[in-house]
Amino acid sequence: MPLNPKVAQVLDMIERAKRPSYHEQTPQAARAAYEKSAPILDVADAPMHTVEDCTVPTRDGRSIGARLYQPVEPSLAEPMPALVYYHGGGFTVGSVDTHDALCRTFAHDARCAVFSVDYRLAPEHKFPTAVDDADDALRWLHREASAFGIDASRLAVGGDSAGGTLATVCAVLARDAGIRLALQLLIYPGVTGYQQTGSHAALANGYLLSHDTIQWFFSQYLRDPSDRDDWRFAPLDGMRGAPSFAGVAPAWIATAEYDPLRDEGAAYADKLRADGNAVTLTCYPGMIHEFFKMGGYVPEVRHAHADAVAALKAAFDDA
């Protein structure tokens, strides 16, 4: 179908603003630009009982930040489920602040805690730092869950774009660590090291996320070209160290019709199904990359939010 009219207006506004693309800026300038623009189209902040910034130790002796959202008062008698969330941004931009409204929405509407991870960014921290941080944060919350009134047996992972990549990898690492996850909530995840799908060819320019910006993000994050073949960067086609994907958490995958990442998301769903996993895949018509953060301007986005929330609720109920 055609572009959603409101989405078309967003693209027109971006074009008329004549601001430089991320790949035309330094990583620091791109980061600042994204921090400034991220809330503009987002939904209003949902009320929370508590929002707490935490410090998570990492395997290299450093620490990272995380933000814990709890929609109701925690109870040791009735611990709540939790979504561990990884923000998008090409491993180079984004933060817990840029995804604050989205995490509040998930917490409020799904009645679950959300643990948003501020993993370290490129180019200061190259691959696989983000993966290690994401895995460390999940394991830490699993160990410390009871201290926050969280049920360690009802955890999910999720993320958008690059955060979706991290969530896919963490689902495999959690399986191998004996951590049972209720769901992997994947929002237009990046899962391939090479942009050779039909949607990458057809949607390379003009739909917010461009081919040049994707390559720029990769150049910031990867140590050398061989990292494109590591499964922790490319869960769909990375052969280096590639594990079986059998027995990972059920997946709910959202893609967008006008997103260059659309076809790889669908192919990843097929890969998970082929390995015997339960998968729900929805391609949202008329939408573009990043549309989950446009719910304050594009009414239809709220339907996608509701679908994600329903998937979380059902998975937690079944856990």
Side-chain angles (χ1 to χ4, degrees):
M1 64 176 290
L3 271 172
N4 178 283
K6 286 284 193 178
V7 170
Q9 288 177 14
V10 170
L11 292 175
D12 183 61
M13 287 187 289
I14 292 171
E15 176 63 25
R16 286 189 283 110
K18 301 296 182 184
R19 294 191 179 94
S21 299
Y22 292 139
H23 66 269
E24 298 171 322
Q25 304 179 61
T26 66
Q28 295 73 26
R31 208 170 287 158
Y34 188 64
E35 292 283 336
K36 184 177 180 179
S37 65
I40 293 175
L41 303 177
D42 229 330
V43 294
D45 287 349
M48 290 289 107
H49 180 270
T50 55
V51 177
E52 178 182 356
D53 287 330
C54 307
T55 300
V56 178
T58 58
R59 66 191 65 188
D60 62 1
R62 307 291 181 85
S63 62
I64 58 172
R67 185 168 294 166
L68 178 62
Y69 301 84
Q70 293 179 304
V72 297
E73 184 175 3
S75 168
L76 294 179
E78 296 184 13
M80 71 182 79
L83 167 66
V84 179
Y85 195 81
Y86 309 109
H87 67 79
F91 308 102
T92 307
V93 306
S95 67
V96 294
D97 291 329
T98 61
H99 286 63
D100 183 78
L102 184 59
C103 288
R104 285 172 178 266
T105 295
F106 288 147
H108 180 271
D109 293 356
R111 311 309 283 174
C112 68
V114 173
F115 191 66
S116 180
V117 181
D118 222 6
Y119 57 88
R120 287 172 284 182
L121 299 177
E124 295 89 347
H125 303 282
K126 297 283 190 177
F127 174 85
T129 302
V131 173
D132 292 342
D133 286 354
D135 182 41
D136 288 344
L138 173 60
R139 291 172 186 248
W140 183 84
L141 185 66
H142 183 260
R143 291 194 306 270
E144 303 294 331
S146 61
F148 298 102
I150 289 172
D151 184 350
S153 69
R154 291 191 294 159
L155 298 180
V157 292
D160 59 295
S161 196
T165 311
L166 296 175
T168 68
V169 175
C170 284
V172 177
L173 298 176
R175 178 204 62 189
D176 294 346
I179 299 174
R180 183 176 178 273
L181 298 177
L183 186 71
Q184 43 181 323
L185 187 82
L186 310 179
I187 302 168
Y188 31 81
V191 290
T192 181
Y194 300 91
Q195 287 59 61
Q196 298 174 336
T197 66
S199 59
H200 275 289
L203 305 169
N205 292 291
Y207 299 97
L208 190 63
L209 181 64
S210 71
H211 172 81
D212 288 345
T213 293
I214 293 171
Q215 300 309 316
W216 181 79
F217 281 143
F218 285 11
S219 72
Q220 304 304 313
Y221 181 51
L222 300 179
R223 297 166 297 188
D224 58 63
S226 70
D227 282 339
R228 288 178 182 251
D229 298 315
D230 192 306
W231 79 272
R232 296 169 299 168
F233 175 69
L236 177 63
D237 55 16
M239 297 303 296
R240 195 166 79 235
S244 165
F245 285 73
V248 298
W252 182 89
I253 304 176
T255 61
E257 183 181 8
Y258 289 89
D259 183 355
L261 273 57
R262 181 195 67 210
D263 290 354
E264 64 192 75
Y268 190 64
D270 290 341
K271 178 173 185 171
L272 290 176
R273 290 191 187 104
D275 279 348
N277 302 293
V279 180
T280 298
L281 170 69
T282 302
C283 181
Y284 287 88
M287 296 296 162
I288 60 174
H289 197 77
E290 192 84 346
F291 80 92
F292 254 68
K293 288 179 48 55
M294 299 178 184
Y297 188 75
V298 183
E300 291 83 357
V301 172
R302 295 295 290 172
H303 299 305
H305 288 178
D307 291 344
V309 165
L312 282 169
K313 285 182 173 179
F316 290 141
D317 286 346
D318 290 342

